[in-house]
Amino acid sequence: MTPPPVTLLDVARAAGVSKSTVSDALQGSGRVAEATRDRVRGIAEELGYRPNSAARRLRRASTGAIGLHLPQTATRLDYYMNLAFGAVERAQEGGLDVVLLAPAGAASGPLASRVDGLLVIDPEVGDSAVPGLLDAGVPVVTGERYLGPSPTPAGAVVCDNAASLTALLDHVRDRGARRPALLAPAGASAWAAALRGTAAAWGASYGTEVALRTVPFAATAADAEAATRGLLASDPGIDAVLCAPDGAAPGALRAAAALGRTAGVDLLVASCVDGVANRGANPPVTAVDLRPAAYGRACAELLCDILAGRAAPDTVRHHTWALETRPSTTGAGRRPPH
């Protein structure tokens, strides 16, 4: 015979506190001392307590779901798929489902009746859905800042894209490059703006110019190949190509080979976003690891905290990145100048 489920009252009796204290401790709300909160959670776990999610949603008059909006051209990209998986994992830990919104999600019905909050990733000023999402009547957390006019989101998780591109440019300079180029993303997202601005500032600091070619936000390897061919044809002195979009860098490698250049030796190739395509390329491509799954978790974590009252509106949290150096910039034939 299946034993009856453990209730809030069972946990309260075992912990020697009231039922309301147990509820506040498990939900992260109310004025419960940290030691009491930890003790209650430990006892609940030990007893095998599982919250009645349907009843909890009914009491809060909520849907038990959050919405996820990705850039319109991004659904095929490795970066955003990993980010989405991270967001789903964290949301499920908080008892929330994740609804992937269609590009026209803001116009497909009142969102406030379908989700408790929204995650809007890399919002672009030119994305017509974003203003409606921000004005949907539920808390919104953005992955990167929104550069458009109000309404503003309830919170944001940001990555220091200026610092990551600076690190990438410093790395290729340390490897001997003196005429780098950037395949910069089109569009008016915070990411695109940071990369273009940083390239100009970095070049000015060294008394040189970072050659810029604009490519689509979700450029393919073929787009990067065509852009790299054009760059090298117009300026054969370019000795490093940095590709911004996810998955585009192998195209720069193909362009280098077709023009008789050797990646990692007389042309350094790197990417602003790491992924499967970079790790599996020949040679493997140096890239900035933005840790997309962890980024997605961080965005969902902030939204869960705002919904539960654990974080104040207008909270901004920062996400870390790492530079992964590989043979595309460290080939045996290249040596830094002395």
Side-chain angles (χ1 to χ4, degrees):
M1 186 173 178
T2 304
V6 177
T7 66
L8 275 180
L9 186 57
D10 294 327
V11 178
R13 285 170 176 165
V17 296
S18 69
K19 184 178 174 181
S20 61
T21 297
V22 171
S23 178
D24 287 343
L26 295 180
Q27 294 179 26
S29 59
R31 296 183 179 181
V32 180
E34 194 64 32
T36 301
R37 194 185 307 277
D38 292 342
R39 184 166 61 86
V40 168
R41 288 176 174 174
I43 290 172
E45 184 175 353
E46 183 180 333
L47 294 177
Y49 172 74
R50 295 292 179 268
N52 185 330
S53 58
R56 186 175 66 236
R57 288 196 294 270
L58 184 60
R59 286 194 302 272
R60 294 182 179 178
S62 65
T63 67
I66 60 174
L68 173 63
H69 176 77
L70 300 173
Q72 295 181 25
T73 56
T75 53
R76 66 175 177 78
L77 298 180
D78 178 62
Y79 172 82
Y80 288 105
M81 292 303 96
N82 280 292
L83 187 151
F85 291 146
V88 168
E89 181 182 70
R90 175 60 186 87
Q92 288 179 338
E93 291 171 7
L96 296 168
D97 295 325
V98 176
V99 178
L100 183 60
L101 302 178
S108 59
L111 278 173
S113 67
R114 296 189 284 130
V115 297
D116 298 331
L118 292 167
L119 299 176
V120 180
I121 308 301
D122 282 328
E124 288 195 83
V125 174
D127 185 343
S128 61
V130 171
L133 294 171
L134 292 173
D135 200 26
V138 295
V140 178
V141 166
T142 59
E144 296 300 343
R145 299 181 189 274
Y146 178 53
L147 301 182
S150 59
T152 56
V157 179
V158 301
C159 194
D160 193 342
N161 297 301
S164 66
L165 180 57
T166 297
L168 205 55
L169 286 163
D170 286 346
H171 168 69
V172 297
R173 181 176 174 82
D174 289 344
R175 296 301 304 171
R178 292 296 179 269
R179 180 68 175 136
L182 173 67
L183 303 187
S189 67
W191 178 60
L195 295 185
R196 291 193 293 264
T198 300
W202 186 91
S205 71
Y206 284 103
T208 185
E209 179 185 7
V210 177
L212 287 179
R213 275 294 170 97
T214 300
V215 294
F217 183 91
T220 64
D223 293 329
E225 181 176 5
T228 302
R229 281 176 175 268
L231 277 167
L232 297 178
S234 63
D235 187 350
I238 288 173
D239 50 12
V241 175
L242 280 54
C243 299
D246 177 22
L253 297 178
R254 291 202 298 264
L259 296 172
R261 306 283 288 269
T262 303
V265 179
D266 62 355
L267 182 70
L268 308 186
V269 176
S271 175
C272 298
V273 182
D274 201 9
V276 173
N278 293 324
R279 294 189 290 271
N282 183 22
V285 176
T286 289
V288 174
D289 182 5
L290 295 174
R291 302 167 56 243
Y295 198 11
R297 281 190 64 90
C299 291
E301 173 102 21
L302 178 54
L303 182 55
C304 286
D305 286 348
I306 289 173
L307 291 172
R310 295 188 296 266
D314 301 323
T315 295
V316 176
R317 293 178 180 170
H318 296 270
H319 180 68
T320 58
W321 51 270
L323 179 61
E324 300 292 339
T325 58
R326 301 188 179 111
S328 70
T329 60
T330 59
R334 190 78 176 187
R335 293 290 183 270
H338 296 287

